Amino acid sequence: DTGVSQNPRHKITKRGQNVTFRCDPISEHNRLYWYRQTLGQGPEFLTYFQNEAQLEKSRLLSDRFSAERPKGSFSTLEIQRTEQGDSAMYLCATPGGQANEKLFFGSGTQLSVL
Amino acid sequence: GESVGLHLPTLSVQEGDNSIINCAYSNSASDYFIWYKQESGKGPQFIIDIRSNMDKRQGQRVTVLLNKTVKHLSLQIAATQPGDSAVYFCAEKETGGFKTIFGAGTRLFVKA
């Protein structure tokens, strides 16, 4: 149990549709991260939150992507007008360890855009 | 630019042998390094970490070596077991920074 729950686990959608993923940390964390992982690659940073505030966004996060963390607990990641290139695993993580530098990931949401 | 890479995309070892997975990094400002293990259908899982003021750190059956001179990181797994079959990622971070940067990964196959 990593302490991070993500749903759905799998999402298949048609190109042009909107999708939303949810991340629920089991315990409270100030910081929450979103990463994207394509097949055979390492996770790529997308964005992170400090409480409700979204403090950094990667250039990978186009205008079609929006993330929120309304109460500083769970977070959502929405992709509008999905494209085939959006197909990937979307991972959510919270920090932990002595200096809060380790990342604890959820199992991710696997998105397939047809 | 910043990058963390791996020399070999796949590694196949016999059960019981030792495994060595290598990684090169390029950001001289990184001072914290982590190895993650990712099994199929799961998110990456922390294995072991090391700070730049150390050259070696040992865990249970795993050892991480850091060579700052050549910006090289390695993960050694002793007595490799079938359960060690997974993709291994090295990652780097600057203390106080917010972003962890991952390499491309090495897939480890353990032959029974």
Side-chain angles (χ1 to χ4, degrees):
Chain A
D1 183 6
T2 64
V4 179
S5 177
Q6 291 189 247
N7 65 82
R9 290 294 309 276
H10 303 274
K11 178 69 177 178
I12 300 174
T13 191
K14 293 182 179 180
R15 190 174 49 190
Q17 298 295 305
N18 300 341
V19 294
T20 300
F21 314 138
R22 179 173 170 126
C23 171
D24 284 90
I26 292 176
S27 56
E28 289 188 5
H29 291 278
N30 290 338
R31 280 181 282 156
L32 183 147
Y33 296 83
W34 284 99
Y35 278 77
R36 182 177 74 181
Q37 185 177 26
T38 52
L39 193 63
Q41 299 297 315
E44 297 174 292
F45 170 82
L46 289 180
T47 188
Y48 97 104
F49 289 85
Q50 180 80 22
N51 299 314
E52 303 90 352
Q54 188 175 13
L55 296 188
E56 186 73 21
K57 292 170 62 174
S58 164
R59 57 182 172 78
L60 295 174
L61 224 59
S62 73
D63 291 344
R64 297 183 297 105
F65 288 71
S66 62
E68 295 182 345
R69 197 182 184 201
K71 298 183 179 180
S73 55
F74 74 92
S75 177
T76 59
L77 178 67
E78 180 183 14
I79 308 175
Q80 296 181 325
R81 304 181 304 282
T82 52
E83 301 173 356
Q84 287 185 326
D86 298 331
S87 295
M89 173 79 82
Y90 290 84
L91 294 160
C92 177
T94 55
Q98 192 173 11
N100 275 335
E101 292 188 298
K102 303 173 188 175
L103 290 178
F104 293 90
F105 286 89
S107 293
T109 294
Q110 180 66 53
L111 173 66
S112 298
V113 181
L114 305 179
Chain B
E2 298 172 351
S3 67
V4 178
L6 291 164
H7 295 304
L8 295 172
T10 61
L11 177 65
S12 184
V13 299
Q14 198 70 37
E15 181 180 0
D17 288 351
N18 297 334
S19 303
I20 300 176
I21 300 173
N22 295 305
C23 174
Y25 66 95
S26 60
N27 183 8
S28 300
S30 294
D31 55 5
Y32 177 64
F33 303 90
I34 320 101
W35 281 99
Y36 289 88
K37 172 186 180 183
Q38 186 172 27
E39 297 173 296
S40 180
K42 297 183 179 180
Q45 179 184 9
F46 170 87
I47 302 174
I48 191 168
D49 56 1
I50 189 169
R51 295 202 176 275
S52 58
N53 61 351
M54 301 173 68
D55 298 322
K56 179 180 180 179
R57 191 166 188 220
Q58 288 185 295
Q60 188 177 16
R61 282 201 308 117
V62 295
T63 300
V64 55
L65 299 176
L66 175 63
N67 185 332
K68 296 179 288 294
T69 302
V70 295
K71 297 193 181 109
H72 185 267
L73 192 68
S74 68
L75 177 70
Q76 299 178 358
I77 304 173
T80 313
Q81 301 171 359
D84 295 326
S85 294
V87 178
Y88 291 82
F89 295 98
C90 65
E92 62 176 331
K93 187 179 180 295
E94 295 180 39
T95 298
F98 63 86
K99 186 165 59 175
T100 299
I101 300 170
F102 288 80
T106 293
R107 181 173 293 279
L108 177 65
F109 292 100
V110 181
K111 297 175 288 186

